[in-house]
Amino acid sequence: MTRTIIENAHVVTVDERGTEYPDGHVVVADGRIVSVGPGRADQALRTDAEVVDGRGCLVTPGLINTHHHLYQWLTRGYAQDSILFDWLTALYPLWSRIDADLTGTAAAGAMAVLARSGCTTVGDHHYVFPRGGGDIVGSIVDAASTVGVRLHATRGSMDLGASQGGLPPDSAVETTVAALAASQEAVERYHDPSPDAMVRIAIAPCSPFSVTADLLREAGVLARSLDVRLHTHASETVEEDAYCAEHFGRTPTQYLEDLGWLGDDVWMAHGVHLDEPAIARYAATGTGVAHCPSSNARLAAGIAPVRALLDAGVPVGLGVDGAASNESGQLGVEIREAVLMARLRTGSESMSARDALRIATMGGARVLGRHHEIGSLEPGKLADIAVWQVDRVEHAGILDPVAALGLGALPPLKRLYVGGRTVVSDATLVTADETRLARAVAAASVSLAERL
Ligand code: ZN
């Protein structure tokens, strides 16, 4: 049995009661948490254990990213001053030249940065599948395995090209039939329903303005027949509201509900423009929201009503969103952004650092349907753990280590564990060579740009 003990640290469990141990320990054995508590670990657990001295550290559950487009790691810094629809229109031609090789390189780079910012579970939404592009979902699965993070990949799709009234060019979309067949194939090939799964697949048509009603409806039926989750973008911008009013005579929420798209097996990216009736429908159905504050600010989309969502009981997780609208790609940073944005929208008491940490951990676990396995530090759960160093000059003197993480600079990681395996040690990725990843990303980015 391999056993690891982290002790002398401030442990924030994010359990139901918000238990914290200012001088506590966590013990991991065979990939699971076996003990969490005050003081040092039991003598009986110490034999043959690796002991990590957590002095000056904050220990939290690993962070859970609920929305990303990993391939966009190659297309950062484009359309820097655009709102969503103009930004999409500028980037579709580039994205429609992506393939499995380029996506794998992008995904590895993006996931390395996610891991270095405390993320142990990566949600991805890939929806551009050019003809002849190879096994793109497979390339993302491989990259996650290389970096060592847990993956919730989604097989996305677009079938509503510009000639039919959609936003993407016809060259960037698939047929409805092909998208459904490929979604089923991705689930059959890569989805692992087991409780300690490193790879899960969900089905994720892209958005109301890039997907037909037929694809949305049939994707819902397919996902439920395969017992996997559903994901899409919803209520991101006022332009999307206007599009849905013009084309469907309904709000995005009414449109999606009519197509079978509200439920506790569904999570939506953004939810910026949800009104009161929509929030009530999300709450009543258990529909989750991936809150992406930096991306929403980058594209001037607005600030999501997170306080109202939480008060209504809607599951809310955190997401970086694609790197083309969040060049940072660091999930840890989004905790602070969530605090700041909520306060700008609804006042200083609408979001504490601890609230935002809960969204980033248990909130994300609920959104992905994995709250019994990950998201908190409790015996029996998978050992996905972040050990943040909060005693350096950036944080020294901040008496509350949770404030150091949630209000201060992003702290470096002393350790990051995924299923008990060390992925980051002393702020360095140990599973892959970061210098080589950086070189590969730079080359792939140029190579993609040259395809235009
Ligand atoms: Zn997105």
Side-chain angles (χ1 to χ4, degrees):
M1 177 183 278
T2 54
R3 201 184 287 121
T4 304
I5 296 173
I6 308 154
E7 57 187 9
N8 307 317
H10 186 113
V11 178
V12 177
T13 66
V14 197
D15 66 4
E16 193 78 23
R17 287 181 298 175
T19 310
E20 298 185 19
Y21 303 105
D23 178 15
H25 71 267
V26 180
V27 183
V28 171
D30 291 333
R32 285 181 188 274
I33 296 166
V34 294
S35 171
V36 185
R40 300 177 73 203
D42 256 19
Q43 197 57 41
L45 295 171
R46 306 186 78 82
T47 319
D48 298 331
E50 182 212 359
V51 179
V52 175
D53 185 356
R55 232 164 296 189
C57 291
L58 166 69
V59 182
T60 70
L63 309 184
I64 295 170
N65 186 50
T66 55
H67 187 65
H68 206 318
H69 312 285
L70 295 166
Y71 72 96
Q72 291 179 9
W73 203 250
L74 303 184
T75 62
R76 288 172 292 159
Y78 286 83
Q80 293 178 20
D81 307 313
S82 299
I83 62 167
L84 179 71
F85 279 17
D86 301 337
W87 172 88
L88 284 169
T89 308
L91 280 156
Y92 282 138
L94 196 54
W95 294 341
S96 61
R97 286 161 171 83
I98 200 95
D99 61 23
D101 278 352
L102 292 176
T103 302
T105 301
M111 288 193 275
V113 170
L114 282 169
R116 292 246 276 101
S117 68
C119 175
T120 49
T121 297
V122 175
D124 183 50
H125 183 186
H126 194 102
Y127 54 82
V128 190
F129 292 88
R131 225 162 285 136
D135 183 6
I136 286 176
V137 175
S139 75
I140 296 167
V141 169
D142 288 347
S145 160
T146 299
V147 176
V149 290
R150 220 175 282 288
L151 177 68
H152 276 240
T154 66
R155 207 300 178 178
S157 49
M158 301 192 292
D159 71 338
L160 187 65
S163 66
Q164 296 179 318
L167 192 70
D170 289 357
S171 60
V173 306
E174 303 171 275
T175 65
T176 312
V177 170
L180 288 165
S183 299
Q184 176 159 358
E185 192 189 333
V187 172
E188 285 166 353
R189 193 180 285 186
Y190 297 113
H191 181 68
D192 177 2
S194 66
D196 55 355
M198 290 299 287
V199 179
R200 294 257 172 99
I201 305 290
I203 294 178
C206 187
S207 67
F209 51 83
S210 60
V211 170
T212 61
D214 279 348
L215 179 52
L216 280 164
R217 194 183 303 105
E218 292 306 316
V221 172
L222 177 64
R224 281 154 186 148
S225 77
L226 297 170
D227 198 19
V228 297
R229 298 177 85 75
L230 283 164
H231 180 48
T232 191
H233 294 95
S235 300
E236 181 175 1
T237 64
V238 289
E239 291 78 14
E240 177 192 333
D241 277 358
Y243 182 95
C244 289
E246 183 192 338
H247 288 81
F248 318 124
R250 282 165 282 178
T251 67
T253 303
Q254 289 165 339
Y255 176 62
L256 287 164
E257 178 157 34
D258 288 348
L259 295 169
W261 265 77
L262 294 188
D264 62 4
D265 56 350
V266 183
W267 84 104
M268 312 287 194
H270 304 301
V272 171
H273 295 282
L274 294 171
D275 56 13
E276 252 178 65
I279 292 172
R281 291 310 299 147
Y282 273 50
T285 55
T287 306
V289 171
H291 175 42
C292 306
S294 287
S295 169
N296 296 153
R298 160 76 155 85
L299 297 172
I303 300 172
V306 177
R307 184 72 264 160
L309 289 166
L310 294 173
D311 288 348
V314 174
V316 180
L318 210 51
V320 294
D321 201 0
S325 62
N326 179 0
E327 277 77 357
S328 147
Q330 297 172 300
L331 186 56
V333 167
E334 300 301 315
I335 297 173
R336 181 168 179 268
E337 294 301 320
V339 172
L340 301 181
M341 293 297 167
R343 291 178 179 194
L344 283 175
R345 179 170 172 130
T346 30
S348 66
E349 290 182 3
S350 57
M351 176 85 58
S352 69
R354 281 175 172 76
D355 291 338
L357 176 60
R358 179 170 289 276
I359 291 173
T361 51
M362 270 311 281
R366 262 186 90 195
V367 163
L368 297 181
R370 298 196 74 171
H371 43 293
H372 298 300
E373 303 161 60
I374 55 177
S376 63
L377 302 178
E378 296 177 86
K381 280 204 160 177
L382 294 167
D384 292 5
I385 304 169
V387 183
W388 308 90
Q389 194 85 47
V390 289
D391 62 351
R392 297 184 184 179
V393 69
E394 296 92 327
H395 307 96
I398 303 180
L399 297 180
D400 175 5
V402 179
L405 172 65
L407 300 176
L410 183 65
L413 289 163
K414 185 181 178 79
R415 293 281 191 282
L416 185 78
Y417 299 98
V418 179
R421 178 188 180 205
T422 304
V423 172
V424 177
S425 181
D426 294 325
T428 303
L429 191 70
V430 298
T431 47
D433 181 334
E434 289 182 41
T435 309
R436 279 172 65 178
L437 282 180
R439 257 188 243 128
V441 165
S445 177
V446 170
S447 155
L448 178 60
E450 284 173 354
R451 292 184 185 186
L452 258 190

